[in-house]
Amino acid sequence: MTSPIPSYRMNDGLDIPAFGLGMWNLQEGREAETAVRHALDAGYRLFDTAALYGNERSLGRAVRDSSIPRGEVFVTTKVWNSDHGYEQALRAFDESLRRLDLDYVDLYLIHWPVESERLDTWRALESIREAGRCRSIGVSNYMVRHLEELLDHSEVLPAVNQIELHPWNYASRKATVDLCRRKGILVEAYSPLTKGRMLRDRQLDEIATAHEKTPAQVLLRWGIQHGFVEIPKSSRSERIRENVAIFDFELSGDDMDTLDSLDRALATSWDPTGTP
Ligand SMILES: NC(=O)c1ccc[n+]([C@@H]2O[C@H](COP(=O)([O-])OP(=O)(O)OC[C@H]3O[C@@H](n4cnc5c(N)ncnc54)[C@H](OP(=O)(O)O)[C@@H]3O)[C@@H](O)[C@H]2O)c1
């Protein structure tokens, strides 16, 4: 690795690496464990999994087997939609921690703002944090209305809101990003490479060529310059190394403006804007 990965300070006073490995679609077992090992070797310290991804065991094993102290690794996992509600979310956390086989989780997120029980689920996350079993708590796929409801009904602010973010949806998600900024909630960008769909975009390619970087590196750098946590997924060691090599160049104001203007409300997985 050429340059170290910086950290952000969250609203609970704890630090989170600005960059890490997304783990959706990494198969439990050899594929996931090897990807985590390659990422640790390349300097990654943040790993983003979820009960839904089915690879918490592999992440925990790779972290335990590595020579890097646990305190230097940042593990995120998430409570899935079928486990909303106070008691159910407490149980889901116990199961995630058991699968990870770690002493604690760094960041526990509500994966999706399921309509009826999300406030009870949040209270479960508050208790888990209070008990010291996870360090920070946050949400994912929360748009303005979900955040406003949570802010109106809870004591503890989410430390993080993890949402899909890249130049092809930035303008349409800007109200959510701005609300997070005003409240001091850190924005974590998922599917930052658009799952690979937009990597051949002409304007993106021109910027990449000018900086002698790849389109993927430009997208990740764009997110870092906006102050987002970036969590690209790759199963391939060369791409895992490529994706983190973004701390040695800077996009200009014009580059950022061009990328900011590409919006077309692209959602590569679910679109939470329609969730009441
Ligand atoms: N909270 C949520 O609801 C939610 C939803 C979606 C995702 N996420 C999180 O965000 C993470 C990242 O999002 P994502 O997995 O949807 O998509 P992504 O990171 O935008 O893109 C991953 C895809 O891009 C390819 N890729 C990676 N690096 C590349 C490179 N340098 N050049 C060309 N292609 C490259 C990968 O293929 P290879 O593996 O073959 O390299 C994979 O097909 C997830 O893994 C997950 O942790 C969260």
Side-chain angles (χ1 to χ4, degrees):
M1 193 183 64
T2 46
S3 311
I5 297 169
S7 291
Y8 300 123
R9 176 77 30 102
M10 294 180 283
N11 59 27
D12 58 11
L14 298 172
D15 290 342
I16 180 171
F19 182 94
L21 185 72
M23 292 189 63
W24 178 69
N25 226 5
L26 285 173
Q27 211 185 343
E28 171 94 308
R30 206 159 63 126
E31 184 180 58
E33 272 179 57
T34 308
V36 172
R37 250 199 317 276
H38 283 140
L40 285 167
D41 289 347
Y44 290 54
R45 293 295 178 266
L46 181 155
F47 297 90
D48 183 80
T49 187
L52 179 73
Y53 304 168
N55 54 26
E56 289 169 311
R57 282 191 186 82
S58 303
L59 172 58
R61 196 171 302 124
V63 167
R64 286 194 313 279
D65 289 353
S66 108
S67 58
I68 294 156
R70 170 70 184 92
E72 291 177 23
V73 180
F74 191 102
V75 171
T76 302
T77 192
K78 315 183 188 87
V79 55
W80 182 236
N81 297 356
S82 48
D83 287 323
H84 272 262
Y86 186 82
E87 295 296 338
Q88 190 64 26
L90 292 180
R91 272 197 294 277
F93 179 82
D94 285 345
E95 284 164 22
S96 279
L97 198 58
R98 185 179 49 74
R99 285 189 293 267
L100 284 161
D101 197 7
L102 298 171
D103 291 337
Y104 64 91
V105 165
D106 290 276
L107 176 62
Y108 196 46
L109 300 178
I110 296 183
H111 207 143
W112 187 266
V114 168
E115 200 181 335
S116 57
E117 291 180 298
R118 58 190 177 228
L119 288 173
D120 293 333
T121 307
W122 182 249
R123 273 181 258 297
L125 267 60
E126 288 178 344
S127 326
I128 294 164
R129 192 186 78 137
E130 196 68 28
R133 305 179 74 210
C134 77
R135 300 259 156 107
S136 300
I137 54 176
V139 294
S140 179
N141 294 300
Y142 272 49
M143 300 291 105
V144 168
R145 82 173 75 85
H146 313 121
L147 287 169
E148 283 176 342
E149 176 201 70
L150 184 60
L151 298 174
D152 282 349
H153 290 92
S154 65
E155 302 288 308
V156 182
L157 274 177
V160 164
N161 184 19
Q162 183 183 113
I163 57 175
E164 178 168 349
L165 266 183
H166 40 65
W168 294 275
N169 74 356
Y170 173 63
S172 42
R173 295 279 164 99
K174 191 138 186 329
T176 300
V177 171
D178 288 346
L179 177 60
C180 288
R181 287 234 163 89
R182 281 200 303 281
K183 298 293 176 186
I185 301 166
L186 195 62
V187 175
E188 191 170 28
Y190 79 64
S191 305
L193 305 178
T194 65
K195 295 197 194 317
R197 288 192 205 167
M198 304 304 291
L199 292 177
R200 290 168 185 270
D201 178 271
R202 183 184 52 80
Q203 283 163 291
L204 172 62
D205 190 58
E206 281 171 14
I207 294 171
T209 304
H211 288 278
E212 298 183 357
K213 288 284 179 181
T214 65
Q217 288 170 326
V218 168
L219 289 183
L220 297 167
R221 182 71 209 177
W222 170 88
I224 292 292
Q225 288 185 212
H226 271 302
F228 308 144
V229 178
E230 296 289 295
I231 48 167
K233 174 261 176 184
S234 180
S235 54
R236 309 187 198 187
S237 62
E238 68 283 5
R239 286 179 174 173
I240 286 173
R241 283 195 303 275
E242 171 190 327
N243 291 345
V244 73
I246 56 167
F247 296 101
D248 56 357
F249 80 112
E250 196 158 10
L251 297 170
S252 68
D254 284 350
D255 295 335
M256 293 296 285
D257 289 346
T258 301
L259 293 166
D260 286 355
S261 72
L262 296 177
D263 186 80
R264 47 180 242 198
L266 175 66
T268 63
S269 29
W270 319 296
D271 186 350
T273 48
T275 301

